[in-house]
Amino acid sequence: MPRYGMVIDLSRCMGCRACMEACKVENNTPQAIFWMYVFRFEEGEFPNVRQWFMPRPCMHCDNAPCVKVCPVGARYKREDGLVATDWERCIGCRYCEVACPYGVNYFNWKRPDRNYYLDWGVPELRSITSGAVPPYRNPDLDQPYGEEKRRIAGGGHVKGVIEKCTFCVHRVEKGKLPACVANCPVQALLFGDLDDPESVVSRVLRQKPHFRLLEELGTEPRVFYVGGKPPGPETRQIEPVRARM
Amino acid sequence: MKLTRREFLRRGGALAGMWTGLSQLGEPVLAFLRTRGARWPWYRPDEVRITYNYCDMCMWRCGMLVYTVNGRVVKVEGNPKDPKSRGRLCGRGQAAVAHLYDPDRLRKPLIRTGERGTWSFREATWEEALDRAAEALTRLRDQYGPESVAWFAHTTGDFWFGDYLPLAFGSPNVGKPATGLCLTPREVAAQLTFGRGVGGHEPVDWENTRYIVLIGNHIGENAHNTVMQDFARALAQGAKLVVVDPRYSTAAMKAHRWLPIKPGTDTALLLAWMNVLITEGLYDREYIEKYTVGFERLAEHIRPFTPEWAAPITEIPAEVIREVAREMAAHRPQVVIPPGRHVVWYGNDTQRMRALFILNVLLGNVGRRGGLYLPRAPALDPYPHPPFPVEVAAGGCGAAAVGIRIPDTPGHPPRADGVGSKFATGPVVIQELIEPMITGQPYPIRGLVVYGVNLFHSIPNVPRTIEALKRLEFVLAIDVLPQEHLAWADIVLPEATFLERYDELWVASHRIPYIALREPAVEPLPDTRPGWWIARELGLRLGLADYFQWSSIEEYLNTRLMSVGLSLDRLREAGGVFTWPGKPYLEDYGEGETPFPTPSGKIEIYSEALARAGFDPLPVYEPVEEPPPGYFRLLYGRHPLHTFGKTQNNPWLAEVYPENEVWVNDEAAAALGLKNGDLVLLENQDGVRSGPVRVRATPRIRKDAVYLVHGFGHRGSRLSRAEGRGASDNLLITRYRLDPISGGAGMRVNFVRLIQEV
C-alpha cells in the first residue's frame, strides 16, 4: 500500500493559482470553496523586499485532529494515508473545521446548485441560458472509492456537510496525479509515494531541506514544503483570504 | 410530500441500478435527484467524449483536450502532445468551461433601435442581421471605396475578420491590437536587425540558458503557460536571474538581483551594458565578425555611455551595472535578455528593442544554445483563392515579414494609419485608424467592423474613440460577451465560443513547428454562430463568393491539410497536434545559407535602413517626461488569472481575483494618509477619473509609480460580474507617445494622482 504525500517547492511557485482553478474544475467545488488556496506573503522594506507564495491543500495528516473529533466516523484515514470525508455519513457538526489547524475544511451552507456561482434553476436565468445549465460536474466524482466503497470524491457538495481536498482520490486511484499537481505550470507541486524511495517526492525530500506547516502541533502532515520557509512574525500577508465562508 | 436528504438516500439505495432508466427522465428530474445526492451515476461511461482544441482564453493558444458528457463540457485539460501546454493549463485556460457557460453571453443577433451609446437593440434573425450588415458595408464600399471600412480583430477568429475577409473586401485598414498596442516595436526592431520577426512564441532557449535578464517582463503575472514552465525549469537548473523593473514583480521574487530602475530609462541601462561589454572586451568577438555588420560604429557610438553615465539616469549604481555586464559575459553564449511582449511603453520603444537585441548579439547568443533560438513555421498552403485586391500586413503576434519598405498595393488606396508620415514602417497600427474616423485625414473611415476587440479597454484615449464612434456611419460588432463598446454598434452578431466551433488551424512558429486543431466540443448555444460561418455568410452577401468556394469548414481545413499530406482525421489520430522538425540553431543552417534575411545577409547592428529613413541607425537613449509633483507614473500589467479586459466576467476567475487594486509604495501612501485597503479614485493629468479602487500599500514598488492590473473597471457593459469592479488603466491612458519608427503607442507616459474617497 503506497503512502501518498505531496511536496511543494516554494522556490518554484509563481503564485499563478492554476492549482486553485485546476481544483475547481476537477472537483467542481462550489463558489467560495477552495480546497487548494494560495497564500501570498511579503517581507522587508523597499528595495530589500521579498515576496513569496504558499499553496495550501489539505495536509492529510498522519495524526489528524479532524479524524479524532469526528463523532460519526465520517472523517477517516485511509490506508494509503488520505484523510477522507465520507459525505454520506457527515452530519455537519463542523468539529473537524474547528480541530484542523490549517483551515482546509469548508462547510456547505447552501445547496450547491444554489452556490455554483449562480442559481441556474431560477426561471429568469433558464430563459437566458436556453436551458444550458453548466454541468460543473466531473463524472469521475460520482463513484464510491477505496476498498470500503465510501463516497468521498467530490466531497458531495451537499448542503449541511463538510468538504475538503481529497488529494484527487479519483485520479490517484487511476494512477493519475492530483489535478493541481498535473496542471502546475512550474511544477512546484509534486506528488507520490513517500514509501517508495524512487518516487519523485522521496527523491526531493532526500535532496532538499524541508518543513511542514505547524509541525510543532504534532499533526504529522503529509505535505512537505521545500525551497522556502514557513511564514514568521516578519511576514505580512499581502491580501486577506478571499471568499472564505 | 417533503423528502429529507437522508430519507431520500435510504430509499435511493433501492433504486440503484435503475439509473439507466432514470437518465431518460430528462434534465429537471435528474437535476432534482442529483442535488439530493442520488447514488446512480448521472452519465453513461460511453457518453464521455474528448475533442481537441487550442485554448483561446489568451492568445498563447495551448493545446487542450475538452471533455464532454451528453453535449456539455465538464472540463478541459492540457493536451500532452501539444508543444505549448505539454499537458498543463494555466488558471485561465481551465476556466474556459465557465467562459462557455457565462450566462451573460450574447444570445441573439441584435439590431440597433435607439441612439448609439445606449443598449437599445431588438433581437433579429441571422438572416436579417447579416443582410443588413452586408447592405451597409456594400453601400460604404460603393460610395467611398472599400478602404472606408476599418476592420479591428483579435483572438483566433481574427484570421477571418483581420486577415481574410477584409482583404477580400479590399480594405487595407485592418488593425489588430497586438501590433501598435503591444508588439510592433519589437517586431520592427527584430526585422531591422535580423531580417525576421520575433513571432508570437518568443524564441528563448530557456532549457539551455544559464543567465537571464528580464527588462520589465513580468513572467508569472504574464501567465503564458509555456513561458512559465520553461522559466521555472531554467531557474531550477540553476540559471541566474536579473530583473529590471520599477516594481517588484513575481519574476523579481525569483531573481538574484532586482534592479528597481527608474521608469523609462531602460535604454540607458542597455547602452551602459554594451559599453562595459565592448570596452572591457567581454563580447563575443568571433560571433560579431562572422554574423554581424556595423560593430565598429557601435563601439564608437557607445563610448560615452559608461555605467557612471547611466547610474544617475537609471538610479542603478554604476558598480551594479558593471557587475551584471560581467556576469552576463561570463555566461555567454548561454545568457539571454528575452524580448518580452508588451513593449509599447514610452514611444521610443523600437530603439530600446534594438538595444536589447544588439546586447543579445554582443553576447553571441542568437541562434545559439541558451540564447535566442531561430523559430520556424510549418509551411501550409492557404485554401486556394483569387489574389486579394490589397496585400497588407495586419501583423499580430506572428507578424508577417515587414521591412522598412511599406507594403502598399499599387493601384489601391494606401493605409490610413499614417505609415510613412506619422511613423516609418511596420504593420497597421490600430490606434492610428481612429483619427481618420474623426478628421477624415488622410481620408475618411466611415465604417468599422470590430471582432473580439474591446474598443474601450485596449485602445488608449477612450474619449477620442467615442468621438470616432459617434461619427461612423456604420459599426458592426462580433463578440461573445456584451462588452461596453457593443453599445455603440449598429448590428451585433453573437459568436460561438472556441469550444463550440471549428476554426482556422493554429500554425505555430516555434522551436518545434507545429499545427493544432480546434474542433467543436459541443453544439454552439442556440443562435450563436462560429466566426468562420459569419465571415463566409457576410462574404457571400458582399459578392465575394470567389473567396469562399468551400461550403463547409471541414472542407476548408481538409484542403489546407492536404498540402502537407494530412487530413482532419489524421490530425485527430495524431492527437490534435502535428509537429515538424525545426532549425533552431545556427549550425542547422548550411554554408551559404543565412537565417538572417537582411539586405546584408547578416545581423545589422548598424541599420542602414534606419539611417536612410532619417532615424538613429544605432540605439539612443532619450529621456521621458517626469510626473508632475503629486502625481505618479501609471504602470500596468497582468494578473495571472485574467486576460486583458475579457475574463473579468468569468465566474471562476472573478471568484479568485474579482477586482484590481492600485499598488502604491507604502511610504508614499503613508505620506498621503492612505493605508492598505482604502478606496481611492485615480485622476490622470487630463482630469479623467477612474472608479473607486482599493489601495495596496506595499514596499514592492518605487515611490514614483503606481501600478494597476489591466482590464478591470468595466463601465457600461452588460457584464454582471465585471461591471464597476476595480479601475481601468486604459481609461486613464488618455495620451500616448507614438513611436516614430514602428507606430507603437507608448502608454506609460500617463500620470495619476490619488484622491481619497470621502
Side-chain angles (χ1 to χ4, degrees):
Chain A
M1 180 60 71
R3 204 165 65 88
Y4 291 119
M6 189 181 281
V7 171
I8 299 179
D9 189 340
L10 300 177
S11 72
R12 279 195 165 214
C13 177
M14 300 186 76
C16 75
R17 286 166 270 190
C19 52
M20 289 173 71
E21 295 293 340
C23 179
K24 194 116 257 182
V25 177
E26 185 69 28
N27 293 301
N28 311 144
T29 54
Q31 193 168 23
I33 290 182
F34 296 106
W35 292 0
M36 172 61 100
Y37 198 89
V38 180
F39 290 87
R40 306 160 70 71
F41 302 118
E42 69 180 18
E43 289 172 11
E45 296 307 324
F46 180 92
N48 300 309
V49 55
R50 205 179 147 233
Q51 171 184 238
W52 50 291
F53 307 123
M54 197 185 74
R56 182 239 53 192
C58 170
M59 303 287 141
H60 294 273
C61 308
D62 279 345
N63 185 22
C66 60
V67 172
K68 291 186 196 162
V69 298
C70 181
V72 292
R75 181 60 60 84
Y76 68 107
K77 181 98 179 157
R78 297 194 348 152
E79 227 182 310
D80 57 6
L82 269 58
V83 174
T85 318
D86 182 339
W87 52 266
E88 281 192 320
R89 211 179 276 194
C90 174
I91 56 168
C93 70
R94 300 174 65 200
Y95 286 6
C96 52
E97 194 179 343
V98 178
C100 172
Y102 306 105
V104 305
N105 292 286
Y106 290 82
F107 185 70
N108 280 287
W109 289 95
K110 297 182 192 163
R111 262 174 49 188
D113 60 330
R114 293 272 159 84
N115 204 21
Y116 275 127
Y117 310 95
L118 290 163
D119 184 350
W120 294 88
V122 298
E124 307 85 74
L125 209 53
R126 282 216 153 221
S127 70
I128 302 169
T129 61
S130 319
V133 178
Y136 293 155
R137 198 170 167 87
N138 179 353
D140 298 347
L141 304 178
D142 268 359
Q143 292 128 38
Y145 280 95
E147 278 176 21
E148 317 90 339
K149 294 281 169 219
R150 292 173 75 162
R151 303 184 71 87
I152 52 180
H157 309 317
V158 175
K159 182 179 172 180
V161 309
I162 280 278
E163 56 178 79
K164 68 155 190 73
C165 161
T166 65
F167 262 176
C168 280
V169 59
H170 60 288
R171 292 173 61 98
V172 171
E173 289 210 344
K174 283 184 196 161
K176 290 164 95 176
L177 293 168
C180 56
V181 178
N183 268 294
C184 177
V186 296
Q187 299 185 40
L189 306 173
L190 306 168
F191 184 83
D193 181 1
L194 295 167
D195 279 348
D196 173 3
E198 288 315 302
S199 73
V200 61
V201 282
S202 302
R203 264 182 294 146
V204 170
L205 290 177
R206 265 201 309 278
Q207 286 160 7
K208 292 187 178 175
H210 49 266
F211 70 88
R212 295 182 287 178
L213 275 185
L214 305 176
E215 194 150 8
E216 63 279 12
L217 298 180
T219 53
E220 295 292 318
R222 284 279 183 89
V223 175
F224 298 81
Y225 291 90
V226 300
K229 55 165 193 149
E234 68 287 4
T235 312
R236 299 184 293 271
Q237 197 161 326
I238 291 179
E239 61 201 0
V241 177
R242 244 196 237 290
R244 192 71 208 281
M245 301 277 292
Chain B
M1 187 189 69
K2 208 169 174 227
L3 218 57
T4 65
R5 183 176 70 83
R6 246 157 274 280
E7 171 69 3
F8 181 83
L9 287 180
R10 197 181 55 74
R11 298 187 191 184
L15 294 172
M18 283 179 61
W19 64 272
T20 315
L22 281 163
S23 67
Q24 288 156 4
L25 287 177
E27 184 64 25
V29 177
L30 281 178
F32 172 82
L33 294 175
R34 266 175 228 147
T35 57
R36 279 154 182 78
R39 278 172 185 275
W40 44 83
W42 65 284
Y43 71 103
R44 303 175 213 202
D46 60 358
E47 286 171 340
V48 181
R49 226 177 104 231
I50 298 176
T51 45
Y52 298 108
N53 214 307
Y54 55 88
C55 187
D56 213 13
M57 292 300 283
C58 83
M59 63 295 131
W60 199 251
R61 296 174 188 171
C62 297
M64 56 163 56
L65 307 176
V66 187
Y67 289 73
T68 57
V69 177
N70 217 355
R72 303 280 169 81
V73 175
V74 293
K75 72 171 175 179
V76 293
E77 274 181 5
N79 183 350
K81 298 213 165 148
D82 183 80
K84 285 207 182 188
S85 76
R86 306 156 183 166
R88 294 164 193 267
L89 288 178
C90 79
R92 297 165 299 164
Q94 314 228 20
V97 186
H99 171 63
L100 167 64
Y101 294 117
D102 190 328
D104 289 342
R105 272 181 63 182
L106 295 164
R107 300 287 169 154
K108 300 263 183 208
L110 302 171
I111 294 180
R112 172 158 301 287
T113 52
E115 235 175 285
R116 284 238 187 100
T118 64
W119 193 271
S120 40
F121 292 107
R122 67 173 170 85
E123 292 182 353
T125 62
W126 275 96
E127 204 67 11
E128 187 193 2
L130 288 164
D131 285 348
R132 290 263 207 127
E135 227 170 84
L137 293 172
T138 307
R139 187 182 61 81
L140 291 174
R141 180 177 60 187
D142 293 349
Q143 218 167 325
Y144 310 109
E147 70 278 15
S148 68
V149 179
W151 302 66
F152 292 177
H154 192 240
T155 71
T156 330
D158 69 6
F159 171 77
W160 304 106
F161 296 95
D163 298 314
Y164 199 84
L165 184 55
L167 300 193
F169 183 77
S171 176
N173 297 316
V174 184
K176 297 185 182 181
T179 57
L181 307 172
C182 197
L183 302 171
T184 268
R186 180 189 88 175
E187 295 301 314
V188 168
Q191 289 283 353
L192 290 168
T193 313
F194 304 115
R196 53 193 291 160
V198 175
H201 186 112
E202 290 73 27
V204 177
D205 194 16
W206 296 105
E207 62 189 64
N208 296 308
T209 199
R210 304 293 303 151
Y211 198 92
I212 304 159
V213 180
L214 296 181
I215 314 276
N217 189 337
H218 311 140
I219 298 173
E221 295 162 1
N222 286 347
H224 300 123
N225 189 350
T226 329
V227 178
M228 291 215 297
Q229 296 188 23
D230 291 344
F231 179 67
R233 186 179 317 142
L235 297 182
Q237 287 171 358
K240 294 267 193 194
L241 172 66
V242 176
V243 170
V244 180
D245 201 316
R247 187 171 63 86
Y248 187 86
S249 62
T250 292
M253 77 190 233
K254 305 295 181 193
H256 83 286
R257 287 178 195 269
W258 170 44
L259 311 186
I261 193 169
K262 182 169 174 176
T265 65
D266 310 81
T267 314
L269 177 64
L270 292 164
L271 289 169
W273 277 338
M274 292 187 216
N275 175 289
V276 178
L277 291 180
I278 295 175
T279 56
E280 298 190 7
L282 302 173
Y283 62 96
D284 192 330
R285 215 173 285 266
E286 242 174 275
Y287 186 93
I288 294 292
E289 271 167 31
K290 192 161 175 204
Y291 296 107
T292 71
V293 294
F295 172 77
E296 277 68 34
R297 299 222 212 186
L298 177 74
E300 187 69 23
H301 174 70
I302 51 85
R303 201 171 291 165
F305 306 131
T306 59
E308 287 67 26
W309 164 81
I313 297 172
T314 58
E315 300 185 4
I316 298 168
E319 61 272 23
V320 173
I321 298 176
R322 196 163 265 122
E323 281 165 24
V324 172
R326 289 173 184 161
E327 284 173 15
M328 282 191 244
H331 290 88
R332 71 173 166 80
Q334 289 171 289
V335 44
V336 66
I337 305 101
R341 289 181 76 82
H342 179 92
V343 294
V344 286
W345 299 348
Y346 299 104
N348 51 9
D349 305 300
T350 307
Q351 291 288 3
R352 184 183 70 248
M353 294 315 293
R354 283 253 305 144
L356 183 145
F357 288 130
I358 292 170
L359 181 63
N360 277 296
V361 170
L362 290 179
L363 295 161
N365 72 359
V366 180
R368 289 258 190 85
R369 281 182 176 71
L372 294 165
Y373 69 80
L374 305 161
R376 207 179 179 209
L380 212 59
D381 288 348
Y383 191 99
H385 62 79
F388 292 130
V390 287
E391 286 292 344
V392 59
C397 292
V402 177
I404 201 83
R405 191 181 62 81
I406 313 305
D408 273 341
T409 317
H412 283 273
R415 290 154 46 173
D417 63 349
V419 69
S421 54
K422 282 188 191 169
F423 64 97
T425 186
V428 181
V429 288
I430 191 167
Q431 79 280 356
E432 298 312 310
L433 292 178
I434 306 281
E435 210 77 15
M437 299 175 186
I438 301 171
T439 62
Q441 296 301 325
Y443 56 79
I445 289 180
R446 301 175 192 270
L448 173 64
V449 180
V450 50
Y451 170 88
V453 177
N454 189 317
L455 297 178
F456 300 155
H457 278 275
S458 52
I459 303 174
N461 199 351
V462 173
R464 183 184 69 165
T465 307
I466 290 177
E467 182 59 30
L469 285 165
K470 283 181 184 162
R471 291 169 188 249
L472 287 171
E473 288 180 28
F474 176 67
V475 180
L476 168 65
I478 302 149
D479 223 308
V480 173
L481 288 167
Q483 305 265 20
E484 41 268 69
H485 69 281
L486 299 196
W488 292 88
D490 297 301
I491 294 178
V492 175
L493 301 178
E495 201 197 5
T497 64
F498 70 98
L499 296 175
E500 303 164 304
R501 65 184 202 227
Y502 277 107
D503 223 316
E504 174 61 308
L505 298 160
W506 172 225
V507 181
S509 181
H510 203 261
R511 178 203 295 275
I512 310 160
Y514 75 94
I515 55 173
L517 168 68
R518 169 178 294 162
E519 56 180 348
V522 290
E523 287 289 306
L525 289 189
D527 262 347
T528 67
R529 296 281 188 276
W532 65 264
W533 184 90
I534 301 172
R536 184 170 180 278
E537 289 293 318
L538 263 182
L540 296 179
R541 284 168 171 78
L542 292 167
L544 304 171
D546 284 356
Y547 294 93
F548 296 95
Q549 289 170 14
W550 39 277
S551 55
S552 74
I553 187 75
E554 287 95 329
E555 179 193 335
Y556 173 92
L557 294 173
N558 269 321
T559 308
R560 280 207 77 191
L561 286 167
M562 220 190 309
S563 68
V564 284
L566 285 173
S567 65
L568 278 178
D569 286 338
R570 283 199 59 196
L571 192 48
R572 281 192 194 101
E573 277 160 34
V577 170
F578 200 88
T579 61
W580 283 268
K583 278 171 91 168
Y585 302 118
L586 288 167
E587 69 232 37
D588 299 322
Y589 288 78
E591 275 305 311
E593 189 190 10
T594 175
F596 306 116
T598 54
S600 59
K602 292 189 168 188
I603 298 169
E604 303 202 334
I605 291 176
Y606 180 93
S607 172
E608 293 286 354
L610 279 178
R612 270 199 312 275
F615 295 101
D616 294 300
L618 291 162
V620 291
Y621 163 72
E622 39 168 316
V624 297
E625 195 191 332
E626 296 291 319
Y631 284 80
F632 301 88
R633 186 181 298 280
L634 176 64
L635 304 177
Y636 50 83
R638 300 275 295 271
H639 188 277
L641 287 184
H642 287 285
T643 302
F644 312 131
K646 69 176 206 172
T647 53
Q648 286 72 21
N649 208 54
N650 184 300
W652 289 351
L653 300 176
E655 184 185 5
V656 184
Y657 195 72
E659 62 184 70
N660 60 358
E661 58 273 274
V662 56
W663 292 33
V664 191
N665 176 278
D666 47 2
E667 285 175 35
L672 291 170
L674 293 169
K675 54 184 195 313
N676 221 1
D678 283 353
L679 278 174
V680 293
L681 303 177
L682 304 178
E683 187 186 77
N684 81 350
Q685 71 282 335
D686 297 324
V688 171
R689 282 191 178 187
S690 75
V693 59
R694 291 202 185 275
V695 168
R696 175 172 292 179
T698 173
R700 289 176 290 134
I701 188 164
R702 286 170 57 100
K703 284 182 188 170
D704 51 5
V706 295
Y707 167 82
L708 279 176
V709 166
H710 166 73
F712 284 83
H714 287 262
R715 278 189 192 176
S717 71
R718 292 169 74 88
L719 303 170
S720 53
R721 277 166 301 280
E723 180 63 20
R725 294 217 182 217
S728 163
D729 58 326
N730 193 56
L731 186 74
L732 298 163
I733 301 176
T734 45
R735 62 177 188 183
Y736 58 86
R737 268 193 72 201
L738 194 73
D739 181 349
I741 300 175
S742 69
M747 291 192 263
R748 295 188 180 173
V749 297
N750 288 267
F751 309 120
V752 295
R753 62 191 189 99
L754 278 54
I755 302 168
Q756 188 151 22
E757 274 218 299
V758 280

